[in-house]
Every structure is written in C-alpha cells, then in structure tokens.
Amino acid sequence: MTFRIGKRFTFEAAHQLAGLPEGHKCGRLHGHSYTVEVVVTATELTGPGFVADFADLAPVKQHLAEHFDHQALNTGLDVEPTSENLARCLFEWCATNLPLPTTAALEAVRVSETPATWAEYRP
Ligand SMILES: Nc1nc2c(c(=O)[nH]1)N=C([C@H](O)[C@H](O)COP(=O)(O)OP(=O)(O)OP(=O)(O)O)CN2
Ligand SMILES: [Zn+2]
C-alpha cells in the first residue's frame, strides 16, 4: 500500500523560450502565474499517521519566494525555463533540501504555467 501527499505552491515570473519556430508567441517575453506541486510517498506512516508533515514541505515556499517569484527566469537558470526544466530543477532542490522522514520519499514535482497545462519530473 502506498500513501501519497502533495502540497501546492505558486509564484509569478516572466520568461521567453528559445528554439521555437519564428513568430511562436512563447519566444516573446511574457509571464505566468506558476503552480508547483511537490509529491511525497511512503509505504508506512509516521507520527500521528503522516507520510510527512505538510510543514516539512514549507521550505519550498521560501525557496520560490527568494529565487523564482517576480523573477525573469531566463537569467536565473542555466537551462531553458520550460515547465519540464523547472520541474526537474525544483525536484533536485527538494531532494537536497526537504527534511523528510526516513520512511518518506520525494516522488515528483509538477509545474503548471496555466490551469490547463503541466509538466512533471520524477526520476
Ligand atoms: N511542453 C511544453 N510546451 C510549452 C511550454 C512548456 O514549458 N512545455 N511552454 C510554453 C509557453 O511558456 C507558453 O507561454 C504556454 O503555452 P500555452 O499553454 O500553449 O499558451 P496559452 O496559455 O496561451 O494556451 P492557448 O491554448 O494557446 O490559449 C509553450 N509550450
Ligand atoms: Zn510561457
């Protein structure tokens, strides 16, 4: 049996994407209200019955506020700021920085630029 929890975060940022056909709208500088979802799993629960305390995911909020919110993402990342690349970048940050219980594992990070679209990274 697998338990799965997630927490959703938001930030606002601008980007433009290279490598698109001439005239593609996403080649122009534009902004999104991004949503980031962090998913954690476990096969056994800890404490009162947690995969992990939702509060254990709180550092993501501060990381996004300090490094992503109201930023031009093209200058802050060493990859093209697509949803896919942001998901991998944020997964790697979470894997290093979130204080999860030893019984829990970071499963995936999902990034949405709009309510209709998403990209997910899970190694
Ligand atoms: N696989 C991906 N495709 C696209 C990405 C991406 O990160 N991964 N990003 C973009 C652009 O950032 C664009 O701003 C968003 O594209 P899209 O959802 O197509 O734009 P709209 O919200 O305006 O959607 P409409 O359906 O055209 O109204 C492009 N593709
Ligand atoms: Zn965009």
Side-chain angles (χ1 to χ4, degrees), residues 12-99:
E12 320 288 330
H15 74 166
Q16 59 192 121
L17 300 180
L20 292 169
E22 181 76 24
H24 193 297
K25 65 181 177 180
C26 299
R28 301 190 292 272
L29 184 64
H30 62 281
H32 294 291
S33 295
Y34 286 89
T35 300
V36 176
E37 290 179 83
V38 177
V39 181
V40 176
T41 65
T43 54
E44 59 182 286
L45 302 180
T46 66
F50 290 168
V51 170
D53 191 329
F54 290 126
D56 292 343
L57 307 181
V60 177
K61 183 174 183 175
Q62 186 179 354
H63 179 62
L64 293 173
E66 290 178 358
H67 299 284
F68 289 82
D69 190 45
H70 286 75
Q71 299 288 343
L73 299 178
N74 293 84
T75 56
L77 297 168
D78 57 6
V79 290
E80 204 61 30
T82 63
S83 299
E84 289 89 333
N85 281 334
L86 289 174
R88 179 168 64 178
C89 167
L90 290 168
F91 183 99
E92 287 167 356
W93 186 88
C94 289
T96 301
N97 292 285
L98 291 183

